Amino acid sequence: MALRALIFDVDGTLANTERDGHRPAFNAAFAELGLPWHWDESFYGTLLIKGGGLERLYFYAEHFDPATRARPDFDELMHRVHEIKTRNYQRLLAAGAIPLRGDIGQLICDARTEGVRLGIASSSKQENVVGLLRANLGPNADAWFDAIVTGELVQAKKPSPDVYKKVLEQLNLPARDCLVVEDSAHGLAASLAAGIPTVITLSDYTHDEDFEGARMVLHETENLSLDKLRLWHATASTS
């Protein structure tokens, strides 16, 4: 079976957005609102068990700051934090502070040249995904993707398969004709539950996770290429 579409996760897969983007954007939002919170690189990795930025805020408050969680304006405060964090993240993108991982841009361009369709399946916000693509690939780069499904468009985030199922609907392709590129165990669980063969490219925060079921697991220093992905997709159809 031919590989007809590549479907990418975003955070940690297209770029090191968690470490270099979301985390400092959160910290700046905390400081602006006078919240006594600060997430360093190591600790932030432990919070990634919770998908979605707003969900991560609630998780942190519930487990590490019950006094803030008990505030009568807690819900309003968390939405304000998330709003400011998104604004900060967009500023980082505009400043060129969040580059794509080294091989990703070439892979996307090669796929377009050779007629392999492109999709995005992310728990992040639409504006963050589009902003990352445009900042690194050009002002119309989001139009290169036939399907962009983000956290706002599904009820349950990864490891639920909802986001991948919706991408398949938008691509109008069977799962067997696609290949997912992910970086996390939650993402792998989601893509496999949707029936899509998956390759893992490790990121800063996912080295020690369990990737049983992946077609291949690559260290972040190992390059992805369209030829390699086609080969791993072909092995999925014969195993």
Side-chain angles (χ1 to χ4, degrees):
M1 291 181 293
L3 174 61
R4 298 174 65 189
L6 291 175
I7 306 172
F8 294 94
D9 169 55
V10 174
D11 295 318
T13 300
L14 293 188
N16 287 315
T17 53
E18 296 291 8
R19 182 195 66 197
D20 300 333
H22 294 297
R23 184 189 64 84
F26 271 122
N27 285 334
F30 301 154
E32 180 173 336
L33 292 174
L35 268 175
W37 297 0
H38 182 83
W39 295 345
D40 64 27
E41 288 189 16
S42 177
F43 180 73
Y44 187 71
T46 69
L47 299 178
L48 295 179
I49 61 171
K50 202 67 178 175
L54 188 61
E55 292 84 351
R56 201 164 296 141
L57 290 168
Y58 275 74
F59 177 84
Y60 177 80
E62 288 168 3
H63 289 83
F64 298 98
D65 192 352
T68 296
R69 181 66 182 89
R71 285 176 53 163
D73 64 341
F74 177 73
D75 289 335
E76 179 183 349
L77 176 63
M78 291 300 100
H79 280 85
R80 181 65 177 145
V81 169
H82 199 239
E83 176 186 329
I84 294 171
K85 173 261 177 182
T86 298
R87 183 188 69 203
N88 294 339
Y89 184 82
Q90 292 296 320
R91 288 175 176 170
L92 288 169
L93 286 174
I98 312 174
L100 295 184
R101 293 175 65 168
D103 50 347
I104 290 295
Q106 187 63 53
L107 172 58
I108 289 171
C109 291
D110 289 346
R112 291 187 72 217
T113 299
E114 299 195 26
V116 177
R117 298 170 68 192
L118 297 168
I120 291 283
S122 174
S123 295
S124 193
K125 297 183 70 173
Q126 180 92 7
E127 63 188 296
N128 290 342
V129 172
V130 171
L132 179 70
L133 295 174
R134 291 180 177 177
N136 285 281
L137 297 173
N140 300 312
D142 51 303
W144 301 353
F145 292 77
D146 292 316
I148 296 180
V149 179
T150 55
E152 304 104 314
L153 301 179
V154 293
Q155 291 209 338
K157 295 182 179 178
K158 301 172 187 178
S160 163
D162 288 5
V163 68
Y164 281 108
K165 288 180 176 180
K166 196 165 187 68
V167 169
L168 291 176
E169 289 176 10
Q170 292 189 8
L171 291 172
N172 194 27
L173 289 175
R176 66 178 179 273
D177 289 353
C178 305
L179 187 69
V180 165
V181 182
E182 265 281 0
D183 79 305
S184 72
H186 273 175
L188 176 64
S191 58
L192 292 183
I196 314 173
T198 303
V199 169
I200 295 294
T201 177
L202 295 174
S203 64
D204 291 340
Y205 291 124
T206 63
H207 289 94
D208 299 324
E209 296 182 6
D210 181 5
F211 296 112
E212 184 177 356
R215 303 310 307 164
M216 185 62 62
V217 179
L218 299 177
H219 191 271
E220 61 241 70
T221 60
E222 296 180 86
N223 287 335
L224 282 171
S225 70
L226 188 57
D227 286 343
K228 287 180 180 178
L229 293 177
R230 280 178 165 146
L231 174 62
W232 295 326
H233 178 260
T235 65
S237 66
T238 59
S239 60

